[in-house]
Amino acid sequence: MTKLSVNINKIATLRNARGGNMPDLLQVAKDAQQFGAEGITIHPRPDERHIRYQDAFDLLKVVTTEYNIEGNPIPKFVDLVLQVKPTQVTLVPDAEDAITSNAGWDTLKHKDFLTEVVAEFKRNGIRTSLFVDPVEAMVTAAAATGADRVELYTEGYAREYALGNKGAIAPYVRAAQEAEKVGLGLNAGHDLSLDNVQYFRKQIPNLLEVSIGHALICEALYLGLENVIQLYLNKLAN
């Protein structure tokens, strides 16, 4: 069964907008897990515009499922992850001024750097995943770095699916098959939603986990967080 990890960045964005503690990030993390989420994801950025580095430590008190920290492995981020020791770290090559992640790693070009970073995390018992585009060569090279998993960047699929182009799933299927061939676990995320996640899950072999934040929080504004999490779990199971 594909696990659902809820990205709570947008909760932190809302909290930070007023400078107080409403909504309470830790309470939302606890509630999401109580409602059935099988993981909590955060993506701290250097400017701390949503998740603050202190949040990563505070969440250790309440995350009882899988804890996934995403980010660009600059020294400050690497130090944070090594101190927190989450279940999983997902390495994402986003620029410091990026609004959101917009590309996967070139795992061929950055092989030596990624190999060094992955080895450091694995020495500390942290499962490591690389954020990649649905390109077979990038998946193959990801395996060569020693990573445990790849996370497929799904924005292209989501955009085309909304236009009625279900054929956009094809490169993701091939990338998933390559991941299985080279022994990598498979995650996915970015712009997955209640509209498109079930079709994606049914077409992609051996999908272990999806990380969903923006769409899930938007949908929860209308449908409620508990209900939305249950809807996702249903779509990921059927």
Side-chain angles (χ1 to χ4, degrees):
M1 181 177 173
T2 304
K3 291 185 176 181
L4 170 67
S5 185
V6 174
N7 185 316
I8 57 174
N9 275 23
K10 286 297 182 292
I11 300 299
T13 302
L14 185 59
R15 174 200 63 188
N16 295 354
R18 290 292 293 268
N21 192 41
M22 184 183 293
D24 184 327
L25 189 78
L26 302 188
Q27 187 62 49
V28 172
K30 289 193 286 186
D31 290 341
Q33 292 171 105
Q34 182 180 344
F35 298 155
E38 295 144 314
I40 296 295
T41 291
I42 59 171
H43 189 145
R45 287 184 165 84
D47 62 7
E48 298 188 293
R49 63 180 181 266
H50 35 61
I51 291 293
R52 300 167 182 151
Y53 274 50
Q54 184 59 45
D55 292 331
F57 293 99
D58 294 341
L59 283 162
L60 277 172
K61 307 168 189 173
V62 300
V63 177
T64 57
T65 56
E66 292 198 356
Y67 188 10
N68 175 44
I69 301 182
E70 301 179 342
N72 193 334
I74 61 174
K76 183 179 179 182
F77 177 83
V78 172
D79 290 344
L80 172 73
V81 174
L82 291 177
Q83 291 178 67
V84 174
K85 288 187 169 59
T87 315
Q88 176 176 270
V89 58
T90 301
L91 306 184
V92 183
D94 53 355
E96 290 192 16
D97 60 350
I99 295 175
T100 186
S101 306
N102 54 22
W105 285 103
D106 183 333
T107 51
L108 290 166
K109 179 179 179 180
H110 299 288
K111 178 184 175 183
D112 291 344
F113 169 70
L114 290 170
T115 298
E116 181 180 346
V117 175
V118 167
E120 180 66 16
F121 287 137
K122 292 185 71 174
R123 276 194 295 271
N124 284 271
I126 303 167
R127 188 174 74 220
T128 306
S129 178
L130 301 182
F131 193 66
V132 298
D133 295 314
V135 178
E136 292 159 84
M138 295 300 108
V139 174
T140 305
T145 70
D148 302 292
R149 297 186 182 186
V150 288
E151 178 176 325
L152 297 181
Y153 172 40
T154 49
E155 181 183 8
Y157 158 76
R159 181 180 61 250
E160 292 300 314
Y161 185 90
L163 298 173
N165 179 17
K166 290 185 176 181
I169 196 70
Y172 294 88
V173 173
R174 293 192 295 268
Q177 292 169 339
E178 182 64 16
E180 181 179 16
K181 179 181 175 182
V182 297
L184 286 171
L186 187 69
N187 299 339
H190 204 91
D191 287 351
L192 294 176
S193 69
L194 286 175
D195 290 333
N196 60 40
V197 71
Q198 187 172 50
Y199 182 78
F200 187 86
R201 198 273 306 167
K202 285 185 174 181
Q203 301 302 312
I204 300 300
N206 304 310
L207 181 61
L208 297 174
E209 174 186 299
V210 292
S211 174
I212 304 178
H214 184 76
L216 187 150
I217 299 304
C218 291
E219 291 156 345
L221 291 175
Y222 289 92
L223 302 173
L225 184 61
E226 181 173 9
N227 187 36
V228 163
I229 288 175
Q230 291 300 312
L231 289 170
Y232 272 102
L233 294 173
N234 183 264
K235 288 180 180 292
L236 290 169
N238 295 298

